[in-house]
Amino acid sequence: MKNFINEEKIFDTLGETENPSRKHVETIINKSLELKGLSPEEAAVLLNCEEKAVLNRIFETAKQIKETIYGNRLVLFAPLYLSNRCINNCLYCGFSQDNLNSETRLLDADGICGETRALISQGHKRLLIVAAEDPAINIDYLEEAIKTVYDTKEGNGDIRRVNINIAPMEVEDFKRLKNTGIGTYQLFQETYHKETYNQQHTSGPKSDYIKRLYACDLAQSAGIDDVGIGALFGLYNYKFEVLALLYHTMHLEEVFGVGPHTISVPRLEPAQGSSIASNPPYPVSDTDLKKIIAVLRLAVPYTGIILSTRENAVLRNELIYLGVSQISAGSKTLPGSYSSNKKAEGQFNISDERSLSEVVEDMTTRGFIPSFCTSCYRTGRTGENFMDLAKPGDIKSFCQPNALLTFEEYLLDYNPELAEKTKALISSEIDKIRDPEVRQKTSGKIKSLSRGKRDLYF
Ligand code: SAM
């Protein structure tokens, strides 16, 4: 299998686009507003902007694009860690064989059910299953685990979308994974720079760079048409990683006709046993992270951008304006820690420790609508179908009402105190729905929710 990340080309592009003129940057910014995306060369020009005033122009444009495509919605989810027992050695990771200095944990069905109950009780509807790489985390185990999550009920609540972040598998296993009814399969390349990759992944199956690079291809071949990619920022030069993410996107578009559903932008955080995690080889400042997110928003406007609780609340509150479309909230990164309040070290430090309700409340005071929507994959709006609707802007006619319906359901079941405070926000959002029929139906469905109906969507 060929390495489709041409490092030389990326370095050349970054070198050739250094110190861009204001005029050149303006031309690219204007092009991005057509919402057709940018080439890696154009993205490189923006990544090479260092002047504050020019950066602010890029941030304002990202904000404008985010508002046009995603409105004021923000999708919420939580990770569910199944295991911290790992056969890899990744120098930056707290679960690494050589770094882990706490007990190993692998959740059984009861453990998974307990964790799921605890997450449902907070109001979550979307989970991201995460596991370290371990022979015990095979497809038989995963099928059971996902079934347990979907079968678990607590009060009125249940989990309606399970996304997955686990080690690559063979096509046959990916097919079985697809049949469990997952949403997105996501996997981060960590670093696209091969030499750095080899230095960081010293042993275990993960040390195979190419195998990891092609994992999303295998998932796509197995019919999982929503895949997520990402890089762990701090391991290598962030400009290189952003361009590589764009080349990865182009590769998936070329081969499967659809790019990644999401891009994640995790930044290295301190982790038990890892000195690299506390001293990133290529530190990424807050301004750099803002630039990464803004440039991605301009370059791939219809790809979701995911931000985790690795970042602190203050910074997250800035980044949600720049193009992030999904955030995790109330997260724990140690298996079993939602249901037991035992303190122990997770995979890495969490900087935003607010509960889901605190995050939701904060979002609404900023005019954002928290969305727990899980409708797209349940109605077949995935992969190319999703992009076909998203690109002409048609997806909005589903997303906005679905965000309101799931938020209303959350308020009724988990946060009645906030319901009073957000009445005006919800009714002004209903008024904003352009199509009169959809507007009327949304109001009708909201009334049905208050009469006890649940899980209503378009
Ligand atoms: N087994 C899966 C795999 O092969 O990717 C899951 C890996 S891990 C549980 C999920 C992600 O956490 C990794 O892909 C990595 O990007 C991120 N991660 C690892 N160590 C980290 C650290 N110290 N700080 C922030 N993120 C970290």
Side-chain angles (χ1 to χ4, degrees):
M1 281 181 290
K2 186 174 160 248
N3 182 358
F4 52 80
I5 301 298
N6 185 336
E7 295 192 358
E8 217 178 291
K9 192 166 168 192
I10 295 181
F11 286 127
D12 286 350
T13 307
L14 285 171
E16 286 155 12
T17 51
E18 266 176 18
N19 306 315
S21 71
R22 196 78 187 243
K23 196 165 160 230
H24 194 184
V25 175
E26 271 310 318
T27 312
I28 294 171
I29 284 182
N30 289 335
K31 184 183 167 199
S32 75
L33 289 167
E34 291 166 21
L35 308 182
K36 293 195 178 110
L38 299 176
S39 67
E41 290 74 17
E42 289 162 335
V45 171
L46 302 185
L47 288 166
N48 273 327
C49 294
E50 312 294 349
E51 212 187 298
K52 206 169 166 212
V54 186
L55 277 181
N56 283 339
R57 269 291 287 140
I58 298 173
F59 297 159
E60 280 160 21
T61 313
K63 193 169 172 225
Q64 194 178 333
I65 293 178
K66 144 110 200 170
E67 274 164 15
T68 309
I69 298 180
Y70 300 88
N72 53 356
R73 299 181 302 280
L74 205 48
V75 169
L76 288 158
F77 72 96
L80 167 56
Y81 276 70
L82 299 181
S83 133
N84 63 354
R85 214 166 73 181
C86 197
I87 51 171
N88 291 310
N89 265 311
C90 313
L91 300 186
Y92 50 83
C93 182
F95 289 169
S96 229
Q97 230 178 22
D98 291 349
N99 291 345
L100 189 77
N101 51 29
S102 49
E103 57 175 314
T104 55
R105 293 186 185 182
L106 169 69
L107 297 188
D108 60 11
D110 282 349
I112 295 168
C113 183
E115 290 289 89
T116 308
R117 280 220 170 98
L119 285 158
I120 296 173
S121 306
Q122 291 176 27
H124 279 293
K125 294 280 182 276
R126 302 169 60 106
L127 298 187
L128 171 68
I129 283 192
V130 185
E133 189 159 1
D134 177 9
I137 307 286
N138 55 30
I139 189 65
D140 295 329
Y141 171 88
L142 284 166
E143 279 177 341
E144 277 305 307
I146 296 162
K147 186 172 181 315
T148 304
V149 171
Y150 279 134
D151 286 349
T152 300
K153 308 270 177 267
E154 180 71 19
N156 275 335
D158 54 2
I159 295 300
R160 300 177 187 156
R161 179 172 176 134
V162 173
N163 296 329
I164 298 281
N165 182 321
I166 43 157
M169 47 179 87
E170 300 305 325
V171 178
E172 285 313 308
D173 288 349
F174 270 130
K175 283 186 185 157
R176 286 174 63 186
L177 187 65
K178 157 127 186 119
N179 289 336
T180 61
I182 60 155
T184 310
Y185 170 73
Q186 62 166 232
L187 190 76
F188 310 151
Q189 187 63 24
E190 319 299 10
T191 172
Y192 286 89
H193 187 249
K194 195 153 185 301
E195 193 188 326
T196 307
Y197 189 95
N198 293 341
Q199 283 162 5
Q200 292 293 332
H201 303 98
T202 53
S203 69
K206 191 166 170 180
S207 52
D208 186 339
Y209 173 98
I210 290 288
K211 186 169 179 216
R212 198 160 178 94
L213 194 60
Y214 275 88
C216 288
D217 286 58
L218 292 192
Q220 279 276 9
S221 312
I224 301 176
D225 55 1
D226 280 347
V227 296
I229 61 174
L232 182 54
F233 287 94
L235 293 178
Y236 192 62
N237 179 323
Y238 75 87
K239 297 179 186 177
F240 177 95
E241 305 290 14
V242 172
L243 292 196
L245 284 165
L246 296 182
Y247 279 112
H248 196 167
T249 299
M250 286 160 62
H251 165 83
L252 292 170
E253 277 168 357
E254 269 162 36
V255 181
F256 300 100
V258 60
H261 190 63
T262 55
I263 296 183
S264 298
V265 290
R267 191 163 57 156
L268 211 49
E269 277 292 316
Q272 58 179 312
S274 164
S275 60
I276 275 192
S278 307
N279 304 289
Y282 287 81
V284 171
S285 69
D286 289 355
T287 305
D288 295 338
L289 188 60
K290 282 164 78 172
K291 199 205 280 189
I292 290 166
I293 291 172
V295 172
L296 284 171
R297 186 69 301 142
L298 270 60
V300 280
Y302 293 98
T303 304
I305 298 181
I306 304 183
L307 185 71
S308 75
T309 52
R310 290 172 181 87
E311 305 305 335
N312 66 50
V314 175
L315 182 60
R316 284 191 352 138
N317 279 338
E318 277 191 69
L319 297 173
I320 54 177
Y321 291 95
L322 294 181
V324 169
S325 53
Q326 296 186 25
I327 59 168
S328 48
S331 305
K332 305 229 183 318
T333 64
L334 181 78
S337 50
Y338 291 111
S339 43
S340 83
N341 279 326
K342 256 205 273 169
K343 281 257 171 204
E345 275 191 278
Q347 189 194 5
F348 46 78
N349 276 13
I350 284 183
S351 304
D352 184 353
E353 292 191 306
R354 291 173 302 166
S355 65
L356 175 64
S357 63
E358 286 167 329
V359 173
V360 165
E361 188 154 357
D362 192 0
M363 278 169 64
T364 54
T365 57
R366 288 162 204 282
F368 280 89
I369 297 289
S371 174
F372 298 87
C373 177
T374 57
S375 143
C376 272
Y377 92 107
R378 293 157 85 204
T379 48
R381 295 193 293 264
T382 59
E384 223 175 331
N385 289 339
F386 173 85
M387 286 299 171
D388 285 349
L389 282 168
K391 291 193 176 165
D394 293 348
I395 199 82
K396 261 206 286 194
S397 47
F398 300 109
C399 296
Q400 186 67 355
N402 285 338
L404 291 170
L405 291 171
T406 54
F407 180 42
E408 180 69 19
E409 198 178 328
Y410 165 82
L411 291 170
L412 288 165
D413 289 342
Y414 304 101
N415 208 336
E417 311 83 65
L418 188 60
E420 205 46 49
K421 294 188 207 155
T422 50
K423 249 187 187 150
L425 176 65
I426 292 188
S427 66
S428 84
E429 290 301 314
I430 296 176
D431 291 345
K432 280 193 215 155
I433 298 175
R434 284 220 198 106
D435 183 328
E437 200 186 320
V438 178
R439 198 186 318 130
Q440 201 192 2
K441 280 190 179 161
T442 306
S443 297
K445 284 180 194 287
I446 289 208
K447 282 195 192 105
S448 301
L449 288 172
S450 65
R451 285 189 226 108
K453 284 236 165 135
R454 289 292 174 268
D455 200 12
L456 301 178
Y457 55 87
F458 288 89

